[in-house]
Amino acid sequence: MTGKGAARHVVGIVVVAASVATALPAAAAESGGAKPLDEVVVTASRTPQARTTLSRAVTVVTTDDLLRRQSPDLIQGLAGLPGISASGNGGYGGQLVVRGFSTNGFRAPLFVDGDRFRGRNTLEYLLFPPELVERVEVVRGPAASLYGTDSFGGVVNVITRRPAGLDRESFALDSNRLVLGTDTANEGRHARAQLGGAGGGFDVLGGFTFREGDDYESARGVIPNSDYRARVWDGAVGWTFVPGHRLELSAKRAEVERGRAGGVGAAPGAANPPGTLNRIQREDPMDERFVRLAYAGDGFGAGAWLDRVEATLYRRRLDTDILLIPDTRNPANFSTSRVPGPTVWGGRVLGFATLGDVAITLGTDAYSEDRPASLQSTRGGPFVPQNPDSEQLAVGAFVLAEWRARRELTLSGSVRYDYVRTELDVAGIANARTRELFAGAGETENHPVVGSLGVVWQAAPAVAMFGNVSTAFRAPSVTELVAVGTIAGATFRVPNPGVDPETGRTAELGVRLTGERTRVELVAFHSEYRDLIDREVPIRFEGAPAVQLQNIGRARMQGVELEAVVALGEAVRLDATGSWVRGTDTRADRPLDQVPPLNGRLALRYASPEAAWSAAAVVDWARRHERIDPRLERASAGYGVVSLSGSLDLGRWLPRDLARVRADLVVDNLFDRAYALAATPETLAFATSASNPLLQPGRSLRLALTAEF
């Protein structure tokens, strides 16, 4: 795409936003009975506050949004948000692409209830079925001064469910839930059984979630190796020992078995023509064990400096077995890898204070990730260590100050210091040749200081301008540093333990139009990066093709995002999103790969005044993907995919004291469109096929019944 073409895209989005900004408020005003839009409170600044007061771009997905979509996983549930695209690799799971950065590249970290999730950048979203989620907050753009290393494209914070009635005087069980669902695309089945209640100072919530599906049907046939099976047990017990002070002990066990049909780690997949390479990779199983202790307290009494304190301590362990058949024409050539761990200990302490017109947040957080060497068995042979034992320790401290300088002007600033230590122990590697490849590896330390300045100016009662400048830092993960050989691919990977950290700086400018019946947000950003890491740099090693992790020098990411919601009448709402992102390796003057083209979502929703039923029509669309890195990508066609959904309150026909029953129905890909998401990786050495790049499911019907009692 030429510079003029890029400019046309920016101008086009700005024109659309301006049209929305001027036309929709007027339309909403004329429909005097329109339902006012709710204010959204988020914790993106690590303290609850109205979304409209933030100097950052933040999007929220609620449990109702996930129910309406009936998404099998969070990847599909978050796709279509401004600045967010999906990169699927099977029927269950995949990666998000946040402002042009895939979560597979460690540049958009996942947090759960405000704590850092470590261990599986490729697989982490598999472990959180939508039924466990209360809402998801997506901070678009770097937030390293609050969340620490890796926050280049953004931060995803999953907030899990809590029981209702925490302040109730007597205990009652009223957070009970039973969910049953099915999906025709893959004969999928899912269920959730939940029991919960609160009162008298105690609260409890626990449940079991089950999901499974066979290989799914695309518009061009069945996609092999896209099946999955997931089981999750979760529970939490809380105790409010004095008013305003609560302890919570929570635990989760998740087991996932699934195939990667294409995409990261599986391209070109297993759906190519007979006689060509068909690759099979499976996680069988992936096992997570998690326990967490949390405290939250406020109301410390007169004279107390702190208004509120939060503290957590958690332990998470992940284990995975990976089966790889590089080419099904020779199935005897297979490997099985056991990835023990990592075991992660972590936690945080946050304090919140108000000094006159200044709100202050102080915090410290840490994690210690211990990752033993992966063990690999070739052709059923013995398991031997393949890479170093590794450990990464990160400890950070930050302060955020938000100053209400004037009634219409809020200034904010944050600064953070991190200590990151990475250790590689190569002594246990069985293969002497592999051990030599890690010559010079050992312990490295980094001491980054990052910061951010933000402003929100309420230019008019319904118009706010906001902006921020931020710096970011990313230390190479141990997963990147220890990768060697062919554990994760058919091409030999040469390690590079001396790779440098990445740094970046971003400027962001936006406008919010907030009315009683209208919300519009338009954001433009520009990011510059140094020492950006490319994980797939082609090299020659011992006379054969290989890949290596290397710093590629300088890179740039820039884009525009639009999000609009308007109540057109008492029961009708229009939602629209649009994203344009342009990534460039400025050293080589070529596009960065896996950066999606102009894309978005348009939805028209109707909800009956009594909330008895609702319906929606949704169009997910993308322009043709032409600005590509020809070494890694092919141009791909644009698409427009139509889906219909509806909900019905069945409880209206049941006794009121029995249950509240809701039916959710989704007809996905109504016109059975054959399409692949633009950010899905492929293998250029092979022809395009149903799994290269991976096609999405064809027309399907998803139905779920939810009973709350």
Side-chain angles (χ1 to χ4, degrees):
M1 183 184 299
T2 65
K4 291 182 178 179
R8 284 198 298 271
H9 284 319
V10 176
V11 171
I13 293 181
V14 172
V15 169
V16 170
S19 302
V20 170
T22 56
L24 292 186
E30 291 175 2
S31 57
K35 181 179 178 180
L37 297 173
D38 295 332
E39 178 61 276
V40 179
V41 176
V42 298
T43 58
S45 62
R46 310 204 78 163
T47 182
Q49 64 186 104
R51 178 184 168 191
T52 54
T53 65
L54 293 173
S55 63
R56 300 180 181 277
V58 179
T59 302
V60 178
V61 174
T62 67
T63 184
D64 285 341
D65 297 328
L66 296 173
L67 280 173
R68 278 197 299 264
R69 293 274 298 175
Q70 281 299 300
S71 303
D73 55 49
L74 284 182
I75 295 293
Q76 298 183 47
L78 299 179
L81 299 180
I84 311 297
S85 299
S87 173
N89 58 18
Y92 191 65
Q95 294 80 45
L96 292 176
V97 180
V98 185
R99 285 194 171 177
F101 287 125
S102 169
T103 52
N104 189 59
F106 300 93
R107 299 188 185 99
L110 174 66
F111 282 69
V112 181
D113 295 320
D115 286 319
R116 178 67 178 268
F117 186 102
R118 293 288 300 181
R120 286 292 188 277
N121 61 306
T122 302
L123 307 174
E124 56 201 14
Y125 287 92
L126 298 174
L127 302 171
F128 298 95
E131 293 85 0
L132 271 65
V133 176
E134 182 64 34
R135 71 180 188 275
V136 183
E137 298 178 0
V138 182
V139 182
R140 308 191 318 266
S145 61
L146 299 178
Y147 290 92
T149 181
D150 296 2
S151 174
F152 270 51
V155 172
V156 179
N157 186 22
V158 174
I159 299 170
T160 57
R161 288 184 177 274
R162 294 291 181 272
L166 293 178
D167 299 327
R168 194 165 39 217
E169 292 186 3
S170 59
F171 189 88
L173 289 171
D174 59 0
S175 296
N176 310 313
R177 171 176 293 196
L178 178 64
V179 181
L180 298 172
T182 184
D183 186 342
T184 64
N186 58 359
E187 298 183 3
R189 293 132 336 250
H190 70 272
R192 164 76 173 172
Q194 174 182 295
L195 184 68
F202 292 93
D203 57 88
V204 61
L205 187 70
F208 171 70
T209 304
F210 171 79
R211 281 186 174 270
E212 70 174 9
D214 300 330
D215 294 337
Y216 70 76
E217 184 92 24
S218 76
R220 293 180 183 167
V222 173
I223 302 296
N225 200 42
S226 61
D227 60 302
Y228 60 86
R229 180 184 177 91
R231 299 171 295 275
V232 179
W233 297 262
D234 63 281
V237 178
W239 176 35
T240 303
F241 51 94
V242 296
H245 296 263
R246 180 174 180 269
L247 284 170
E248 180 185 273
L249 179 65
S250 58
K252 180 162 73 81
R253 172 76 182 275
E255 293 180 346
V256 177
E257 305 162 10
R258 63 137 201 176
R260 295 200 199 188
V264 172
N272 292 301
T276 62
L277 184 148
N278 282 260
R279 186 173 183 210
I280 291 178
Q281 180 171 336
R282 298 187 62 84
E283 282 80 40
D284 192 3
M286 179 179 180
D287 188 355
E288 178 203 22
R289 303 181 187 193
F290 170 76
V291 63
R292 176 179 183 260
L293 179 65
Y295 162 77
D298 52 25
F300 286 90
W305 185 68
L306 290 175
D307 302 325
R308 179 176 174 83
V309 172
E310 296 178 4
T312 64
L313 176 66
Y314 68 88
R315 180 185 186 274
R316 172 178 279 112
R317 180 177 174 88
L318 296 168
D319 295 293
T320 312
D321 284 0
I322 303 174
L323 169 68
L324 174 63
I325 303 176
D327 190 343
T328 56
R329 293 172 297 184
N330 183 16
N333 181 28
F334 70 93
S335 66
T336 303
S337 299
R338 289 179 179 169
V339 186
T343 299
V344 180
W345 285 88
R348 59 187 167 91
V349 178
L350 302 178
F352 309 95
T354 304
L355 302 177
D357 294 327
V358 181
I360 297 176
T361 303
L362 300 168
T364 182
D365 50 48
Y367 67 80
S368 175
E369 176 182 333
D370 181 20
R371 185 185 295 266
S374 299
L375 307 174
Q376 186 178 26
S377 166
T378 302
R379 300 183 181 91
F383 284 90
V384 295
Q386 292 297 302
N387 50 24
D389 295 336
S390 60
E391 182 180 350
Q392 189 168 75
L393 172 69
V395 181
F398 72 92
V399 59
L400 164 68
E402 298 173 286
W403 175 36
R404 189 74 177 266
R406 297 170 56 182
R407 183 176 59 84
E408 68 278 5
L409 180 65
T410 301
L411 304 176
S412 62
S414 56
V415 63
R416 178 182 175 107
Y417 165 80
D418 279 283
Y419 168 75
V420 182
R421 187 187 72 220
T422 305
E423 296 181 74
L424 303 182
D425 182 1
V426 304
I429 300 177
N431 186 288
R433 172 174 170 268
T434 302
R435 197 162 52 243
E436 291 176 0
L437 293 175
F438 285 96
E443 179 179 312
T444 59
E445 293 184 356
N446 294 285
H447 305 266
V449 177
V450 294
S452 179
L453 294 173
V455 60
V456 180
W457 174 44
Q458 196 71 39
V463 180
M465 306 290 292
F466 67 95
N468 65 80
V469 291
S470 305
T471 58
F473 170 89
R474 186 176 85 84
S477 74
V478 291
T479 303
E480 293 173 308
L481 295 178
V482 303
V484 63
T486 58
I487 287 179
T491 303
F492 191 86
R493 181 173 293 277
V494 181
N496 182 9
V499 69
D500 293 324
E502 300 175 332
T503 60
R505 62 183 187 274
T506 295
E508 187 174 84
L509 182 63
V511 58
R512 293 190 185 104
L513 306 174
T514 308
E516 196 174 75
R517 303 173 183 90
T518 307
R519 285 199 304 267
V520 180
E521 182 173 281
L522 180 68
V523 183
F525 66 91
H526 183 103
S527 302
E528 297 283 345
Y529 302 102
R530 292 192 177 197
D531 296 320
L532 200 69
I533 296 172
D534 187 339
R535 303 172 68 191
E536 304 291 336
V537 176
I539 64 171
R540 302 288 297 182
F541 177 71
E542 296 182 347
V547 294
Q548 187 179 48
L549 183 87
Q550 292 184 9
N551 297 105
I552 64 172
R554 295 176 180 265
R556 177 180 301 125
M557 200 76 74
Q558 54 194 348
V560 182
E561 300 159 350
L562 167 69
E563 183 176 16
V565 181
V566 60
L568 295 175
E570 177 66 22
V572 180
R573 194 181 94 179
L574 179 68
D575 296 2
T577 65
S579 304
W580 173 83
V581 183
R582 182 185 179 98
T584 305
D585 175 351
T586 53
R587 184 197 64 175
D589 191 25
R590 62 177 169 233
L592 295 174
D593 67 299
Q594 260 194 288
V595 178
L598 179 69
N599 67 89
R601 172 176 292 170
L602 184 66
L604 186 65
R605 309 185 189 279
Y606 173 85
S608 65
E610 300 84 14
W613 66 280
S614 64
V618 180
V619 179
D620 289 291
W621 58 271
R623 287 285 307 271
R624 177 175 171 81
H625 193 199
E626 295 179 315
R627 191 174 189 272
I628 59 172
D629 182 345
R631 304 171 306 154
L632 303 170
E633 304 171 290
R634 283 184 274 247
S636 59
Y639 58 82
V641 179
V642 179
S643 299
L644 303 177
S645 64
S647 297
L648 179 63
D649 180 9
L650 300 176
R652 297 168 63 87
W653 292 278
L654 297 173
R656 291 186 178 182
D657 58 351
L658 180 62
R660 298 182 299 276
V661 182
R662 164 176 166 171
D664 290 282
L665 176 68
V666 175
V667 182
D668 211 4
N669 196 355
L670 178 64
F671 300 109
D672 203 26
R673 181 75 183 268
Y675 73 104
L677 300 172
T680 300
E682 59 182 316
T683 300
L684 298 189
F686 297 90
T688 299
S689 70
S691 62
N692 190 43
L694 180 65
L695 291 182
Q696 294 300 293
R699 183 189 301 114
S700 60
L701 185 147
R702 297 196 292 267
L703 174 65
L705 297 176
T706 302
E708 297 179 325
F709 48 92

